[in-house]
Amino acid sequence: MNRRLFCSIFIAFFVNILFSGCTTHNAVMTFNKEADRTVQTGFEDLKAIVVYDSWSGNTKLIADEVASVLNCPSVHVDSAGECVMEDYDLIVVGSPVHGGMPTDKIDTFLSGLESVKASAVFVTYGAPLFGTLTANACLNSMEKKLHQTSLGRFKCNGFHKIFRTYPKHPDEEDKSEAARFAAGLMERFFYDDIQESKSLQK
Ligand SMILES: Cc1cc2nc3c(=O)[nH]c(=O)nc-3n(C[C@H](O)[C@H](O)[C@H](O)COP(=O)(O)O)c2cc1C
């Protein structure tokens, strides 16, 4: 075997390993039981909003799914200035991961938030190999700006236009996981009320 052929096989093998994880289903959600929750409102009165940025539509898909479960508006960050954020009981913020960070617009939006009652964050990400690490770093940086008010976080893959990884993501499974995340947020939000009504039923 000549050297050129050997190198080609080696590179093909490496690229295959690098991208082999990039087609699998990989949505992950976690909830924060310690979050501050300074709201007292009933199921029917919950006023929530989803604010997102999205360059190629992936994060918007998840934002719309979360908003449909929360029965609330899904607003692009460019239009968020038209809403008075202090009026909302729950603010859910979504961003694509860009270099391990949220987009500049989402970062600026988060920095400008005052007196958040309850929040949650989500990202879509698509980098091979270190994608999960960058998504976690991005979620950490978003939650840091929300000062202990985040009830939960969600991440799933989104087709990366440059690397061509995770084609067709977010897919139906990602969307149903996002819906489950939104339902989990409601449960988290009304946790004390649910516990109370359970103990009353006993
Ligand atoms: C400029 C740029 C930087 C990116 N940086 C990262 C990154 O650091 N980590 C990652 O996992 N994905 C990265 N991605 C991939 C996107 O986060 C991913 O494809 C996302 O789903 C795009 O969402 P959108 O369609 O809502 O813009 C990057 C994409 C672009 C265009």
Side-chain angles (χ1 to χ4, degrees):
M1 198 187 296
N2 66 32
R3 226 169 108 192
R4 212 163 154 191
L5 182 63
F6 176 79
C7 286
S8 306
I9 291 171
F10 180 78
I11 289 169
F13 178 71
F14 181 73
V15 168
N16 186 37
I17 287 178
L18 192 69
F19 286 88
S20 59
C22 299
T23 51
T24 51
H25 163 69
N26 205 17
V28 178
M29 69 191 85
T30 47
F31 296 98
N32 179 13
K33 291 187 178 142
E34 310 301 324
D36 291 344
R37 218 180 45 120
T38 57
V39 206
Q40 274 151 14
T41 187
F43 271 108
E44 307 80 28
D45 304 323
L46 171 69
K47 211 172 164 215
I49 188 168
V50 177
V51 177
Y52 67 90
D53 195 5
S54 186
W55 285 25
S56 55
N58 298 338
T59 315
K60 178 181 173 15
L61 278 178
I62 300 300
D64 292 349
E65 196 63 39
V66 170
S68 78
V69 174
L70 295 176
N71 195 22
C72 74
S74 172
V75 178
H76 189 275
V77 66
D78 284 347
S79 309
E82 294 161 22
C83 312
V84 182
M85 287 302 145
E86 287 75 18
D87 285 353
Y88 291 92
D89 302 315
L90 173 63
I91 303 173
V92 186
V93 185
S95 176
V97 178
H98 282 182
M101 292 295 287
T103 63
D104 289 346
K105 285 181 182 179
I106 287 293
D107 201 46
T108 306
F109 169 76
L110 288 168
S111 301
L113 284 176
E114 280 168 24
S115 61
V116 176
K117 295 169 190 162
S119 66
V121 291
F122 64 91
V123 294
T124 66
Y125 67 103
L129 217 57
F130 300 112
T132 308
L133 287 179
T134 61
N136 289 342
C138 181
L139 287 164
N140 289 343
S141 119
M142 290 167 80
E143 279 189 332
K144 200 169 172 193
K145 298 203 163 177
L146 289 163
H147 310 292
Q148 306 294 324
T149 63
S150 175
L151 300 174
R153 48 159 70 188
F154 173 85
K155 62 174 183 267
C156 76
N157 295 132
F159 175 59
H160 196 314
K161 279 190 138 185
I162 302 163
F163 288 113
R164 318 300 293 174
T165 44
Y166 304 105
K168 298 200 175 79
H169 284 271
D171 60 8
E172 288 309 311
E173 207 166 348
D174 296 320
K175 285 202 268 174
S176 71
E177 288 296 283
R180 241 165 40 79
F181 171 63
L185 287 180
M186 296 272 265
E187 199 175 315
R188 192 69 248 131
F189 191 88
F190 293 110
Y191 182 74
D192 295 340
D193 307 345
I194 291 168
Q195 294 302 100
E196 199 177 308
S197 82
K198 271 184 186 162
S199 64
L200 283 173
Q201 280 166 18
K202 278 181 191 166

